[in-house]
Amino acid sequence: MKYQIAVIPGDGIGPEIVREAKKVLDKVGQVYGHEFEYTEVLMGGVSIDAYGVPLTEEALETARKSDSVLLGAVGGNVGNSRWYDVAPNLRPEAGLLAIRKGLNLFANIRPAYLYQELAEACPLKKEIIGDGFDMVIMRELTGGLYFGERYTKEVDGVMTAVDTLTYNENEIRRIAVKAFDIAMKRRKKVTSVDKANVLDSSRLWRKVVEEVAKDYLEVTLTHMLVDNCAMQLVMNPGQFDVILTENMFGDILSDEASMITGSIGMLSSASMNESKFGMYEPSHGSAPDIAGKDIANPIATILSAAMMLRYSFDLDQEADAVEAAVKKVLSQGARTADIWSEGCEKVSTTQMGDRIAECIE
Ligand code: NAD
């Protein structure tokens, strides 16, 4: 089959890691008989240099017309780049917010998986790690506290700040459906995280999630309060399969979950809309400190491409093949500088991409 992919290399290490992900996708295409056609789109600093804005309408339209988007990263050195002395809406990261909004990407999916080969980098004790962990955090991305009405004003002579947390049942239902759909492709377990002992929005969240669960009888649903979940992630991470939660809780818990895997260069992510359309990108930034040196770890981007195969194109076998190839290369001892340890072979960005592509079968 033929798939149209909008590719956004972006800034910093973006072009290097995206190049390697395309290399791996092309090998998947060869082995499994698919054609991936790429259209390059400018976003971030490179778009500012070319057009004066971080994302043009045309770029957004190209992304919208494609089957999915593969993104590297955008942004320069924080506080020390030509793109920072400009209004906030003209900075590289504004392109990211604009494309998420423009494509209605309300569901953010971040896997946290511990590779046994990299278990040394995990900050948890061995007895807690056990056989490892393999979870996905499904975070609602366009509602809740970050998008509610907010203001600061003086009330009876006292400065008072107000943020509003609003969710309606439709917003909750559509993200819950995504979480259950993804659980169906995994170990069929959803942990819905809320603060239903205090918040009205959480009580509605729980009610709607339970309604959605009735359509997924094979999936086991449990509820967990967010404070307990923060503890459980470092006490027994192996218990989780899919964690479903609202925007702010997901922001905090997904960072906690990624921290316990120990390596930022390995973490993929996806943001999806109501259909199968998604934007796939590594969880890390553009790493300007190592850009252009061929030393960045391309694995997070390669695993993001695997998520694209699985969630946008329903190519589960092909996604499995990419994930298996990453594991195989790690088990052979190949490591980019960020995950290198004594006794391993240090490889470049290009070599890591070559090795993973070679192992696709
Ligand atoms: P960063 O994630 O780019 O880098 C943090 C540290 O991790 C750096 O030392 C970097 O060298 C290292 N690192 C990151 N990815 C790596 C990889 N694949 N291989 C090896 N090492 C890697 O975060 P930052 O330094 O805070 O931000 C740099 C720029 O990226 C900023 O402009 C920021 O706004 C932007 N940013 C973009 C995105 C995005 O495009 N989605 C996300 C976060 C940050």
Side-chain angles (χ1 to χ4, degrees):
M1 218 168 130
K2 197 168 174 176
Y3 300 92
Q4 302 285 345
I5 303 174
V7 171
I8 308 179
D11 308 312
I13 59 171
E16 300 166 65
I17 53 181
V18 163
R19 181 191 66 215
E20 299 312 311
K22 280 166 64 183
K23 188 185 282 174
V24 173
L25 280 174
D26 287 341
K27 183 67 189 293
V28 168
Q30 268 174 34
V31 174
Y32 289 87
H34 306 297
E35 200 179 324
F36 299 110
E37 205 171 275
Y38 310 104
T39 311
E40 197 156 305
V41 172
L42 293 190
M43 187 173 93
V46 282
S47 173
I48 296 174
D49 289 347
Y51 305 114
V53 289
L55 183 73
T56 61
E57 258 313 309
E58 294 73 32
L60 182 60
E61 199 43 39
T62 306
R64 201 178 273 130
K65 279 202 257 163
S66 64
D67 295 321
S68 74
V69 180
L70 179 66
L71 166 66
V74 295
N77 268 317
V78 179
N80 179 25
S81 99
R82 63 185 177 285
W83 302 317
Y84 277 84
D85 289 332
V86 294
N89 65 328
L90 294 177
R91 290 184 192 152
E93 292 76 5
L96 203 54
L97 299 181
I99 199 167
R100 282 181 185 154
K101 192 159 170 250
L103 299 174
N104 193 25
L105 304 173
F106 65 85
N108 182 244
I109 311 163
R110 268 218 233 170
Y113 178 83
L114 185 74
Y115 287 88
Q116 286 304 333
E117 293 81 5
L118 304 179
E120 293 280 295
C122 174
L124 302 179
K125 286 184 187 154
K126 280 201 173 72
E127 55 268 33
I128 289 177
I129 299 173
D131 295 333
F133 50 84
D134 175 3
M135 73 184 97
V136 161
I137 311 248
M138 171 66 77
R139 166 189 170 194
E140 203 289 328
L141 204 57
T142 55
L145 202 56
Y146 298 171
F147 288 84
E149 192 196 349
R150 72 173 63 101
Y151 56 83
T152 305
K153 69 174 183 185
E154 210 173 290
V155 179
D156 298 332
V158 181
M159 284 308 285
T160 307
V162 175
D163 295 291
T164 336
L165 201 179
T166 310
Y167 270 110
N168 69 42
E169 57 182 313
N170 298 335
E171 290 171 312
I172 301 169
R173 188 165 291 110
R174 64 183 187 175
I175 185 83
V177 166
K178 280 268 176 238
F180 279 88
D181 281 347
I182 280 174
M184 287 296 288
K185 283 180 176 270
R186 296 174 45 92
R187 301 195 307 280
K188 300 190 174 62
K189 224 181 123 184
V190 170
T191 307
S192 175
V193 174
D194 61 37
K195 190 71 184 167
N197 52 343
V198 180
L199 301 175
D200 266 36
S201 57
S202 284
R203 264 175 237 156
L204 181 62
W205 183 277
R206 223 175 244 223
K207 181 170 169 283
V208 175
V209 170
E210 278 174 7
E211 283 166 17
V212 172
K214 289 183 186 140
D215 292 332
Y216 296 86
L217 294 177
E218 287 174 61
V219 178
T220 309
L221 167 68
T222 49
H223 299 284
M224 192 177 275
L225 295 176
V226 62
D227 38 353
N228 185 25
C229 184
M231 290 193 293
Q232 294 297 328
L233 275 172
V234 289
M235 269 168 48
N236 180 13
Q239 72 184 285
F240 296 111
D241 180 18
V242 176
I243 293 180
L244 161 65
T245 193
E246 59 98 77
N247 202 343
M248 183 179 66
F249 297 160
D251 188 5
I252 299 165
L253 294 177
S254 61
D255 269 16
E256 186 187 359
S258 54
M259 200 39 232
I260 59 173
T261 68
S263 178
I264 191 166
M266 304 287 299
L267 298 169
S268 53
S269 94
S271 302
M272 301 188 74
N273 69 15
E274 229 135 14
S275 70
K276 295 227 169 241
F277 183 91
M279 182 164 85
Y280 298 83
E281 55 179 309
S283 294
H284 58 72
S286 61
D289 51 332
I290 56 167
K293 297 183 179 161
D294 201 27
I295 57 172
N297 187 345
I299 293 180
T301 318
I302 291 168
L303 291 173
S304 303
M307 287 181 83
M308 173 190 293
L309 297 172
R310 193 183 302 284
Y311 297 129
S312 279
F313 304 157
D314 273 326
L315 300 175
D316 287 14
Q317 200 189 349
E318 290 81 341
D320 288 346
V322 175
E323 289 166 3
V326 169
K327 271 192 204 162
K328 190 166 175 191
V329 168
L330 289 176
S331 70
Q332 290 167 350
R335 305 277 190 277
T336 41
D338 57 312
I339 51 172
W340 182 84
S341 59
E342 210 55 50
C344 294
E345 178 195 0
K346 200 179 274 183
V347 299
S348 67
T349 311
T350 313
Q351 288 166 328
M352 183 57 100
D354 287 344
R355 297 273 185 99
I356 294 169
E358 272 163 29
C359 290
I360 299 287
E361 49 195 31

